[in-house]
Amino acid sequence: MDGMSAVKYAELGAFLRSRRERIRPADVGLPAGPRRRVPGLRREEVAQLAGASVDYYNELERGAGSQPSEQMIAALARALRLSADERDYLYRLADRPVPVQGGASSHVHPGMLDLLGRMPSTPAQVITDLHVTLVQNPLAVALVGDQTGFRGPRASFVHRWFTEPDTRLLYPEADHEGQSRAFVADLRAAAARRDAKDPEAGSMIRTLLAVSPEFAALWADHDVAFRRDDRKRIVHPTIGL
């Protein structure tokens, strides 16, 4: 069973089922529907929200299937609106390390997810201090594209900004220099606020210093400033600037 005991598989399935049954469709932006027999979500709805196949999620609830990945656990935690303690419990049941806050598997408070659902006319997304996009509402996806599918170092928009030129097409060329400076100053502030032994921030900085002369030059300026009140200009492929 991929390192998981039968007892943990059984508890994982029971826990997922109990959390699914307490969520109302309206809590996650789904219609209740006229033929719903139970107040909670259907299995296929959880699978859809988490980006999993229905068969795979059914196996998890039955206490079978393969050991869920860290990314899948994070997706299930968001789909089921788990609290931070519940999310950590789910990781431990799956014999996966509880991720540090700030990475691609960071916990998003259910209240924040509810808030995004109540903003249908405003693009909104939740990102970490290293610019890893955790969740987006539909209008944010329409504006800047789906930013949640990247893995590893590429999950950080800052990493992609300095290593993948096409990333910069999101902003007017005249704004690129200012954006670069702001990203580097913000990254320095975020890295300092994290634990000195934090592997994610340190690894990203070392990589960018090695592969991006622009980043290395800006890093040498020692500017530090969190991004709090930026005004950004976005270039959209359909509607323009």
Side-chain angles (χ1 to χ4, degrees), residues 6 17 35 92 138 229 232:
R17 185 166 57 254
R35 301 180 60 184
R92 294 187 175 100
D229 55 358
K232 298 180 180 180

Side-chain angles (χ1 to χ4, degrees), residues 168-238:
R168 302 194 176 200
L169 298 176
L170 184 63
Y171 296 113
E173 186 174 357
D175 297 351
H176 289 181
E177 181 180 353
Q179 291 290 344
S180 293
R181 287 191 172 277
F183 278 135
V184 173
D186 184 78
L187 177 58
R188 185 181 288 277
R193 187 168 61 181
R194 289 182 171 221
D195 187 284
K197 298 179 181 179
D198 175 78
E200 188 180 21
S203 176
M204 185 165 75
I205 291 168
R206 287 191 297 273
T207 298
L208 292 177
L209 286 172
V211 303
S212 172
E214 179 192 17
F215 179 87
L218 292 171
W219 189 257
D221 289 340
H222 294 274
D223 291 340
V224 54
F226 284 114
R227 304 190 75 160
R228 293 190 175 93
D229 55 358
D230 285 0
R231 179 179 294 274
K232 298 180 180 180
R233 300 194 300 166
I234 303 293
V235 178
H236 191 273
T238 301

Side-chain angles (χ1 to χ4, degrees), residues 20-239:
R20 172 175 61 82
E21 291 174 349
R22 74 176 182 176
I23 300 292
R24 302 297 183 266
D27 295 338
V28 293
L30 295 175
R35 301 180 60 184
R36 189 175 294 271
R37 297 179 179 178
V38 294
L41 296 180
R42 300 186 178 102
R43 292 185 181 91
E44 57 266 27
E45 291 171 335
V46 176
Q48 177 186 352
L49 291 169
S53 72
V54 177
D55 288 343
Y56 177 73
Y57 182 76
N58 285 339
E59 288 291 300
L60 287 180
E61 277 207 9
R62 284 199 291 265
S66 60
Q67 183 182 21
S69 67
E70 295 175 40
Q71 291 82 8
M72 179 52 61
I73 298 169
L76 288 170
R78 292 166 193 157
L80 294 170
R81 298 297 197 264
L82 300 188
S83 68
D85 291 338
E86 291 170 332
R87 189 283 308 252
D88 292 353
Y89 180 63
L90 190 60
Y91 271 92
R92 294 187 175 100
L93 285 178
D95 276 339
R96 298 294 188 183
V98 177
V100 297
Q101 191 66 7
S105 299
S106 293
H107 182 63
V108 181
H109 192 280
M112 184 67 73
L113 294 172
D114 291 340
L115 179 61
L116 258 66
R118 297 173 188 271
M119 301 172 65
S121 60
T122 301
Q125 55 190 26
V126 179
I127 66 172
T128 73
D129 58 348
L130 298 185
H131 293 261
V132 175
T133 303
L134 302 178
V135 290
Q136 298 173 283
N137 68 3
L139 204 55
V141 175
L143 179 64
V144 299
D146 186 353
Q147 303 289 315
T148 63
F150 298 97
R151 298 290 179 263
R154 297 185 66 235
S156 167
F157 188 82
V158 175
H159 182 278
R160 300 198 305 276
W161 179 264
F162 287 102
T163 60
E164 301 177 25
D166 284 352
T167 299
R168 302 194 176 200
L169 298 176
L170 184 63
Y171 296 113
E173 186 174 357
D175 297 351
H176 289 181
E177 181 180 353
Q179 291 290 344
S180 293
R181 287 191 172 277
F183 278 135
V184 173
D186 184 78
L187 177 58
R188 185 181 288 277
R193 187 168 61 181
R194 289 182 171 221
D195 187 284
K197 298 179 181 179
D198 175 78
E200 188 180 21
S203 176
M204 185 165 75
I205 291 168
R206 287 191 297 273
T207 298
L208 292 177
L209 286 172
V211 303
S212 172
E214 179 192 17
F215 179 87
L218 292 171
W219 189 257
D221 289 340
H222 294 274
D223 291 340
V224 54
F226 284 114
R227 304 190 75 160
R228 293 190 175 93
D229 55 358
D230 285 0
R231 179 179 294 274
K232 298 180 180 180
R233 300 194 300 166
I234 303 293
V235 178
H236 191 273
T238 301
I239 63 175

